[in-house]
Amino acid sequence: MEEAFEPVFSTAQNWRRIYVDLPGTGGSPRVDPQSDAVLDAMHESVTTLLRREPFLLAGCSYGGYLAAGLARRLPRQVSGLFLVCAGVKIRPEARNLTRALPSSPGRDWLAQVPDGLHEHFDQAIGCQTRSVATHIAQALGLNGPTDDDFLDTLRSTGYPLTDETSPHCFDGNVTILAGTRDRIAGYIDQFDALIHYPRGTFVALSDAGHYLPFEKPERFRSVALDWLTQSGPTTTTPGQPPE
């Protein structure tokens, strides 16, 4: 998350940023392997760090899924929401991937990527060039340690939040950013989620997949800056997702 977001703040200065390691990642201890428990821990951390201060909230992938859940819990404290390639229906079989576009891989585009990432990158990355794949692999290498047993159990038995299908509407400023070549989360569910955000803006980038901030960094930076401008000065709290 830091690698993706910090270039935005080379221009947008005087913002305090807090990057959260979710349970099972970085130095954060595990909790019960349920998304509700993960969100409880995130809620507790935000409350401890910010008390009742208003803040902006940003998240990618599973982090975006949790960010939307936290906004449902703290609608008066969250001033704005930025959801990047975010989960909406978190179980893989429930996601609408029917219109996710195929990619045109460049020659030997995975040549500098570890073999263990090839299958995931083939599905997740929309702009399949060697430079993009290498950059994403390097960014993933910056992650702290992960509790793989915990994350595997979370995905298999405890992934959905109990209020995933809540009709609750969040009235803050919201930008949803998706890639039409995202074959992990798709983009149709993200568009449909606008019904919950009366002040929501939806942006879909062609030739971008699940790692959109690294595939199209300049476009990502432009959309993020616009969201910051529209949301007003406060504190940002991007949530770091486990993949």
Side-chain angles (χ1 to χ4, degrees):
M1 284 292 290
E2 186 175 359
E3 182 76 3
F5 272 84
E6 280 306 300
V8 174
F9 296 101
S10 63
T11 300
Q13 300 178 357
N14 300 318
W15 289 81
R16 180 188 180 195
R17 284 92 73 191
I18 301 171
Y19 295 95
V20 178
D21 286 333
L22 298 176
T25 71
S28 298
R30 64 161 61 195
V31 294
D32 186 46
Q34 306 285 331
S35 285
D36 288 315
V38 174
L39 187 56
D40 287 343
M42 185 176 171
H43 187 173
E44 181 180 355
S45 294
V46 168
T47 300
T48 300
L49 290 166
L50 300 177
R51 300 187 182 277
R52 296 185 179 181
E53 292 181 47
F55 62 95
L56 302 184
L57 186 60
C60 300
S61 189
Y62 180 62
Y65 178 73
L66 293 174
L70 188 60
R72 290 193 293 270
R73 290 191 181 189
L74 300 173
R76 295 183 180 180
Q77 193 172 355
V78 176
S79 301
L81 194 58
F82 188 29
L83 305 177
V84 183
C85 300
V88 177
K89 298 175 181 177
I90 202 65
R91 287 193 184 279
E93 65 272 16
R95 303 170 193 172
N96 187 346
L97 306 180
T98 56
R99 297 186 185 180
L101 301 178
S103 295
S104 300
R107 183 178 179 181
D108 296 327
W109 73 287
L110 292 171
Q112 296 177 301
V113 174
D115 290 346
L117 291 174
H118 285 198
E119 182 178 357
H120 173 62
F121 276 21
D122 188 58
Q123 286 296 109
I125 297 177
C127 183
Q128 295 183 345
T129 68
R130 183 181 297 196
S131 61
V132 166
T134 302
H135 187 190
I136 294 171
Q138 290 172 344
L140 292 178
L142 298 174
N143 284 342
T146 58
D147 185 337
D148 292 334
D149 289 340
F150 169 79
L151 297 178
D152 287 344
T153 303
L154 172 68
R155 294 188 192 99
S156 62
T157 63
Y159 227 13
L161 289 166
T162 53
D163 68 343
E164 179 182 275
T165 60
S166 168
H168 174 83
C169 289
F170 173 72
D171 196 42
N173 186 59
V174 179
T175 294
I176 300 173
L177 178 59
T180 60
R181 300 183 192 275
D182 184 347
R183 295 177 292 274
I184 299 295
Y187 66 95
I188 301 298
D189 292 330
Q190 289 74 12
F191 178 79
D192 289 344
L194 281 173
I195 194 172
H196 300 296
Y197 305 117
R199 295 174 57 201
T201 297
F202 178 78
V203 181
L205 301 187
S206 62
D207 202 24
H210 199 58
Y211 289 97
L212 184 153
F214 301 104
E215 298 177 48
K216 299 293 178 182
E218 291 304 317
R219 295 291 303 281
F220 170 73
R221 181 172 173 272
S222 176
V223 174
L225 286 172
D226 182 69
W227 171 69
L228 288 171
T229 300
Q230 295 297 323
S231 299
T234 184
T235 304
T236 61
T237 308
Q240 180 176 359
E243 261 308 324

mmCIF file of all heavy atoms in Angstrom, residues 87-107:
data_model
loop_
_atom_site.group_PDB
_atom_site.id
_atom_site.type_symbol
_atom_site.label_atom_id
_atom_site.label_comp_id
_atom_site.label_asym_id
_atom_site.label_seq_id
_atom_site.Cartn_x
_atom_site.Cartn_y
_atom_site.Cartn_z
ATOM 1 N N GLY A 87 -12.952 -5.665 -3.180
ATOM 2 C CA GLY A 87 -13.925 -6.733 -3.107
ATOM 3 C C GLY A 87 -15.288 -6.181 -2.741
ATOM 4 O O GLY A 87 -15.405 -5.253 -1.940
ATOM 5 N N VAL A 88 -16.328 -6.709 -3.347
ATOM 6 C CA VAL A 88 -17.709 -6.370 -3.014
ATOM 7 C C VAL A 88 -18.420 -7.627 -2.535
ATOM 8 O O VAL A 88 -18.957 -7.676 -1.434
ATOM 9 C CB VAL A 88 -18.444 -5.753 -4.224
ATOM 10 C CG1 VAL A 88 -19.906 -5.470 -3.880
ATOM 11 C CG2 VAL A 88 -17.760 -4.468 -4.669
ATOM 12 N N LYS A 89 -18.397 -8.652 -3.361
ATOM 13 C CA LYS A 89 -18.824 -9.995 -2.969
ATOM 14 C C LYS A 89 -17.540 -10.805 -2.829
ATOM 15 O O LYS A 89 -16.882 -11.121 -3.814
ATOM 16 C CB LYS A 89 -19.756 -10.582 -4.020
ATOM 17 C CG LYS A 89 -21.029 -9.769 -4.195
ATOM 18 C CD LYS A 89 -21.885 -10.318 -5.330
ATOM 19 C CE LYS A 89 -23.131 -9.470 -5.495
ATOM 20 N NZ LYS A 89 -23.969 -9.933 -6.638
ATOM 21 N N ILE A 90 -17.179 -11.121 -1.607
ATOM 22 C CA ILE A 90 -15.817 -11.558 -1.351
ATOM 23 C C ILE A 90 -15.564 -13.018 -1.707
ATOM 24 O O ILE A 90 -14.437 -13.387 -2.025
ATOM 25 C CB ILE A 90 -15.418 -11.253 0.119
ATOM 26 C CG1 ILE A 90 -13.888 -11.190 0.274
ATOM 27 C CG2 ILE A 90 -16.056 -12.265 1.060
ATOM 28 C CD1 ILE A 90 -13.235 -10.074 -0.477
ATOM 29 N N ARG A 91 -16.581 -13.864 -1.669
ATOM 30 C CA ARG A 91 -16.348 -15.252 -2.067
ATOM 31 C C ARG A 91 -16.081 -15.305 -3.575
ATOM 32 O O ARG A 91 -16.850 -14.747 -4.368
ATOM 33 C CB ARG A 91 -17.560 -16.123 -1.734
ATOM 34 C CG ARG A 91 -17.736 -16.406 -0.246
ATOM 35 C CD ARG A 91 -18.747 -17.518 -0.033
ATOM 36 N NE ARG A 91 -19.015 -17.762 1.370
ATOM 37 C CZ ARG A 91 -18.237 -18.483 2.170
ATOM 38 N NH1 ARG A 91 -17.128 -19.020 1.679
ATOM 39 N NH2 ARG A 91 -18.562 -18.662 3.434
ATOM 40 N N PRO A 92 -15.017 -15.985 -4.001
ATOM 41 C CA PRO A 92 -14.685 -16.013 -5.430
ATOM 42 C C PRO A 92 -15.838 -16.456 -6.318
ATOM 43 O O PRO A 92 -16.060 -15.891 -7.397
ATOM 44 C CB PRO A 92 -13.513 -16.998 -5.497
ATOM 45 C CG PRO A 92 -12.865 -16.883 -4.162
ATOM 46 C CD PRO A 92 -13.991 -16.666 -3.195
ATOM 47 N N GLU A 93 -16.613 -17.454 -5.866
ATOM 48 C CA GLU A 93 -17.698 -17.965 -6.694
ATOM 49 C C GLU A 93 -18.860 -16.983 -6.814
ATOM 50 O O GLU A 93 -19.719 -17.128 -7.695
ATOM 51 C CB GLU A 93 -18.208 -19.306 -6.143
ATOM 52 C CG GLU A 93 -18.852 -19.242 -4.770
ATOM 53 C CD GLU A 93 -17.861 -19.396 -3.616
ATOM 54 O OE1 GLU A 93 -16.645 -19.244 -3.857
ATOM 55 O OE2 GLU A 93 -18.323 -19.675 -2.494
ATOM 56 N N ALA A 94 -18.915 -15.968 -5.947
ATOM 57 C CA ALA A 94 -20.009 -14.999 -5.979
ATOM 58 C C ALA A 94 -19.672 -13.762 -6.809
ATOM 59 O O ALA A 94 -20.556 -12.950 -7.107
ATOM 60 C CB ALA A 94 -20.377 -14.573 -4.556
ATOM 61 N N ARG A 95 -18.422 -13.608 -7.201
ATOM 62 C CA ARG A 95 -17.998 -12.412 -7.932
ATOM 63 C C ARG A 95 -18.446 -12.482 -9.391
ATOM 64 O O ARG A 95 -18.418 -13.533 -10.019
ATOM 65 C CB ARG A 95 -16.475 -12.270 -7.870
ATOM 66 C CG ARG A 95 -15.930 -12.207 -6.459
ATOM 67 C CD ARG A 95 -14.414 -12.301 -6.440
ATOM 68 N NE ARG A 95 -13.923 -12.544 -5.085
ATOM 69 C CZ ARG A 95 -12.657 -12.823 -4.793
ATOM 70 N NH1 ARG A 95 -11.746 -12.878 -5.763
ATOM 71 N NH2 ARG A 95 -12.304 -13.050 -3.533
ATOM 72 N N ASN A 96 -18.819 -11.331 -9.921
ATOM 73 C CA ASN A 96 -19.231 -11.243 -11.318
ATOM 74 C C ASN A 96 -18.008 -10.890 -12.167
ATOM 75 O O ASN A 96 -17.615 -9.730 -12.259
ATOM 76 C CB ASN A 96 -20.330 -10.193 -11.499
ATOM 77 C CG ASN A 96 -20.901 -10.182 -12.900
ATOM 78 O OD1 ASN A 96 -20.326 -10.759 -13.818
ATOM 79 N ND2 ASN A 96 -22.035 -9.524 -13.079
ATOM 80 N N LEU A 97 -17.433 -11.911 -12.786
ATOM 81 C CA LEU A 97 -16.261 -11.720 -13.644
ATOM 82 C C LEU A 97 -16.603 -11.893 -15.111
ATOM 83 O O LEU A 97 -15.711 -11.967 -15.961
ATOM 84 C CB LEU A 97 -15.166 -12.722 -13.252
ATOM 85 C CG LEU A 97 -14.737 -12.756 -11.785
ATOM 86 C CD1 LEU A 97 -13.646 -13.811 -11.585
ATOM 87 C CD2 LEU A 97 -14.238 -11.396 -11.313
ATOM 88 N N THR A 98 -17.902 -11.929 -15.423
ATOM 89 C CA THR A 98 -18.320 -12.319 -16.764
ATOM 90 C C THR A 98 -17.820 -11.369 -17.845
ATOM 91 O O THR A 98 -17.601 -11.794 -18.978
ATOM 92 C CB THR A 98 -19.858 -12.400 -16.850
ATOM 93 O OG1 THR A 98 -20.418 -11.140 -16.443
ATOM 94 C CG2 THR A 98 -20.379 -13.497 -15.939
ATOM 95 N N ARG A 99 -17.644 -10.089 -17.522
ATOM 96 C CA ARG A 99 -17.227 -9.135 -18.550
ATOM 97 C C ARG A 99 -15.788 -8.657 -18.381
ATOM 98 O O ARG A 99 -15.364 -7.716 -19.065
ATOM 99 C CB ARG A 99 -18.177 -7.935 -18.547
ATOM 100 C CG ARG A 99 -19.603 -8.324 -18.917
ATOM 101 C CD ARG A 99 -20.495 -7.115 -19.053
ATOM 102 N NE ARG A 99 -21.885 -7.503 -19.293
ATOM 103 C CZ ARG A 99 -22.884 -6.639 -19.452
ATOM 104 N NH1 ARG A 99 -22.646 -5.339 -19.392
ATOM 105 N NH2 ARG A 99 -24.110 -7.070 -19.678
ATOM 106 N N ALA A 100 -15.043 -9.291 -17.490
ATOM 107 C CA ALA A 100 -13.628 -8.945 -17.352
ATOM 108 C C ALA A 100 -12.908 -9.318 -18.643
ATOM 109 O O ALA A 100 -13.077 -10.431 -19.165
ATOM 110 C CB ALA A 100 -13.016 -9.678 -16.173
ATOM 111 N N LEU A 101 -12.136 -8.409 -19.163
ATOM 112 C CA LEU A 101 -11.527 -8.585 -20.479
ATOM 113 C C LEU A 101 -10.227 -9.381 -20.394
ATOM 114 O O LEU A 101 -9.501 -9.319 -19.396
ATOM 115 C CB LEU A 101 -11.250 -7.222 -21.102
ATOM 116 C CG LEU A 101 -12.472 -6.317 -21.293
ATOM 117 C CD1 LEU A 101 -12.049 -4.972 -21.865
ATOM 118 C CD2 LEU A 101 -13.493 -6.978 -22.202
ATOM 119 N N PRO A 102 -9.888 -10.119 -21.447
ATOM 120 C CA PRO A 102 -8.599 -10.818 -21.485
ATOM 121 C C PRO A 102 -7.464 -9.833 -21.730
ATOM 122 O O PRO A 102 -7.692 -8.680 -22.127
ATOM 123 C CB PRO A 102 -8.761 -11.787 -22.662
ATOM 124 C CG PRO A 102 -9.730 -11.092 -23.571
ATOM 125 C CD PRO A 102 -10.697 -10.370 -22.651
ATOM 126 N N SER A 103 -6.244 -10.274 -21.498
ATOM 127 C CA SER A 103 -5.064 -9.442 -21.708
ATOM 128 C C SER A 103 -4.278 -9.942 -22.918
ATOM 129 O O SER A 103 -4.476 -11.059 -23.390
ATOM 130 C CB SER A 103 -4.164 -9.461 -20.468
ATOM 131 O OG SER A 103 -4.818 -8.865 -19.369
ATOM 132 N N SER A 104 -3.398 -9.094 -23.397
ATOM 133 C CA SER A 104 -2.491 -9.452 -24.484
ATOM 134 C C SER A 104 -1.078 -9.443 -23.921
ATOM 135 O O SER A 104 -0.424 -8.391 -23.860
ATOM 136 C CB SER A 104 -2.614 -8.457 -25.644
ATOM 137 O OG SER A 104 -3.931 -8.446 -26.167
ATOM 138 N N PRO A 105 -0.582 -10.607 -23.455
ATOM 139 C CA PRO A 105 0.721 -10.632 -22.794
ATOM 140 C C PRO A 105 1.872 -10.311 -23.732
ATOM 141 O O PRO A 105 1.897 -10.756 -24.885
ATOM 142 C CB PRO A 105 0.815 -12.077 -22.280
ATOM 143 C CG PRO A 105 -0.119 -12.858 -23.135
ATOM 144 C CD PRO A 105 -1.221 -11.928 -23.505
ATOM 145 N N GLY A 106 2.800 -9.519 -23.219
ATOM 146 C CA GLY A 106 4.007 -9.244 -23.971
ATOM 147 C C GLY A 106 4.934 -10.459 -23.973
ATOM 148 O O GLY A 106 4.795 -11.371 -23.154
ATOM 149 N N ARG A 107 5.877 -10.455 -24.834
ATOM 150 C CA ARG A 107 6.810 -11.569 -24.942
ATOM 151 C C ARG A 107 7.665 -11.666 -23.674
ATOM 152 O O ARG A 107 8.236 -10.677 -23.223
ATOM 153 C CB ARG A 107 7.710 -11.380 -26.166
ATOM 154 C CG ARG A 107 8.673 -12.539 -26.415
ATOM 155 C CD ARG A 107 9.477 -12.296 -27.670
ATOM 156 N NE ARG A 107 10.407 -13.400 -27.899
ATOM 157 C CZ ARG A 107 11.253 -13.468 -28.916
ATOM 158 N NH1 ARG A 107 11.284 -12.461 -29.811
ATOM 159 N NH2 ARG A 107 12.069 -14.500 -29.050
#
